[in-house]
């Protein structure tokens, strides 16, 4: 058993779930939530902080500030607490309450944006707030996950090589698209690998990442209301868009097998299984990346009253989450 002195010293890299028994498709789910931050965002946060320290941008006593829908905020809260930095997370009303409380418990400040930008939604409003804050107060250091190359480099250096070691005959990789750091890091790595790998991006309906029409999105994590600056579509072979109701169904179906995953993971799994249903591959190795676990979604994705308010009775009664659990 490992013995650690800092929370950054532990991150389970090689845990996969075989989803054939649950969904009937040859799909392995890479679980990225088994660290003290509870999500894949710990990798990007660690890489960005380390780069800022090397460059002399981040010095003792500084206060980090970042826009986050939740998971990166938790990751930066852990790093800030362990290294002695201050941290201000700028989030919005969709942030899961448990993530907000966890950040505060770790000593971070949280500012919640309550009004979206007219053209670029909550994300645009969050970024404007951070930009104005850092322009007027030099005590704050903005890592900017939306533009930092260290975001995608974290996955080029760790996530993708770990998948390659475990699955040397990988055929297709499914990656959720938010800032697109995970997507770009993995796609760049496998572009020059010893065999061709099809990289399929999974996005939420209502996200504008790949040119889709903007729309209401209730589940934080994947998707964006501002085109991601890190995205280079030349590295992406295909895009699958997932309705949030299908995200919920996938989460509940996984929970029915004892696997409690988060909304981002439900979106990726739903998109991957839909793609595999269309292609019906044989002797095919497919991996999907699960960014998070489900504890932070207990008040949303796994709560009947929230689902009813967000999506109406039809999701609960007609399609039946009970049916999703028993399928």
């Amino acid at each position: 058993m490992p013995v650690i002195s800092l929370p950054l010293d532990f991150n389970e890299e090689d845990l996969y779930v075989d989803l054939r028994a649950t969904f009937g498709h040859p799909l392995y789910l890479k679980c990225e939530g088994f660290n003290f931050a509870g999500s894949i965002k710990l990798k990007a946060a660690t890489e960005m902080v380390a780069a800022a320290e090397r460059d002399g941008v981040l010095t003792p006593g500084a206060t980090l500030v970042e826009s986050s829908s939740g998971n990166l905020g938790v990751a930066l809260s852990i790093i800030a607490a362990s290294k002695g930095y201050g941290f201000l997370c700028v989030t919005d009303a969709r942030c899961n309450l448990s993530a907000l409380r966890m950040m505060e418990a770790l000593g971070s400040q949280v500012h919640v944006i309550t009004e979206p930008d007219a053209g670029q939604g909550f994300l645009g409003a969050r970024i404007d707030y951070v930009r104005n804050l850092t322009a007027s107060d030099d005590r704050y250091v903005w890592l900017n996950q939306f533009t930092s190359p260290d975001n995608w480099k974290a996955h080029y250096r760790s996530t993708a090589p770990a998948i390659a070691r475990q699955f040397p005959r990988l055929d297709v990789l499914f990656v959720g698209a938010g800032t697109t750091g995970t997507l770009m890091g993995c796609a760049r790595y496998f572009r020059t690998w010893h065999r061709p790998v099809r990289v399929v991006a999974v996005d939420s309906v209502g996200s504008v990442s790949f040119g889709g029409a903007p729309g209401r999105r209730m589940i934080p994590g994947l998707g964006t209301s501002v085109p991601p600056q890190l995205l280079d579509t030349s590295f992406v072979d295909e895009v699958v868009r997932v309705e949030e109701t299908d995200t919920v169904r996938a989460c509940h179906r996984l929970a029915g097998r004892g696997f409690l995953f988060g909304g981002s993971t439900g979106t990726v799994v739903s998109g991957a299984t839909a793609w595999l249903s269309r292609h019906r591959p044989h002797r095919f190795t497919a991996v999907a990346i699960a960014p998070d676990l489900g504890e932070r979604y207990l008040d949303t994705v796994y709560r009947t009253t929230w689902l009813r308010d967000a999506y109406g009775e039809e999701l609960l009664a007609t399609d039946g989450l009970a049916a999703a659990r028993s399928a």
Side-chain angles (χ1 to χ4, degrees), residues 82-216:
S82 67
K83 288 176 170 282
Y85 299 122
F87 175 53
L88 168 63
C89 180
V90 180
T91 188
D92 60 61
R94 297 171 303 173
C95 178
N96 292 323
L97 183 60
S98 60
L100 190 153
R101 287 177 173 169
M102 187 171 182
M103 287 186 276
E104 292 178 334
L106 289 163
S108 299
Q109 296 177 288
V110 181
H111 179 83
V112 180
I113 298 292
T114 57
E115 294 294 330
D117 178 85
Q120 296 188 316
F122 278 113
L123 178 55
R126 281 163 29 198
I127 291 175
D128 283 346
Y129 183 92
V130 175
R131 185 179 290 116
N132 292 334
L133 179 66
T134 53
S136 61
D137 192 334
D138 59 10
R139 293 176 300 171
Y140 291 99
V141 176
W142 183 18
L143 300 175
N144 198 347
Q145 63 165 326
F146 307 102
T147 62
S148 172
D150 295 296
N151 186 343
W152 66 260
K153 287 178 182 178
H155 304 287
Y156 184 91
R157 293 168 178 164
S158 61
T159 309
I163 295 170
R165 287 194 303 270
Q166 188 72 26
F167 298 97
R169 298 196 61 78
L170 180 68
D171 294 296
V172 61
L173 178 66
F174 300 95
V175 189
T179 65
T180 67
T182 307
L183 174 64
M184 286 294 94
C186 291
R188 281 186 166 93
Y189 181 90
F190 284 111
R191 176 59 61 90
T192 59
W193 205 38
H194 70 90
R195 59 181 279 120
V197 173
R198 190 167 189 81
V199 175
V200 180
V202 182
D203 198 14
S204 301
V205 171
S207 167
V208 304
S209 296
F210 295 91
R216 188 189 75 150

Side-chain angles (χ1 to χ4, degrees), residues 36-39 42 68 70-80 87 89 98-100 102-103 106 108 296:
F36 281 91
S39 82
L42 185 62
S68 170
N71 282 340
L72 183 73
V74 172
L76 286 172
S77 293
I78 287 173
I79 294 173
F87 175 53
C89 180
S98 60
L100 190 153
M102 187 171 182
M103 287 186 276
L106 289 163
S108 299
R296 291 173 197 160

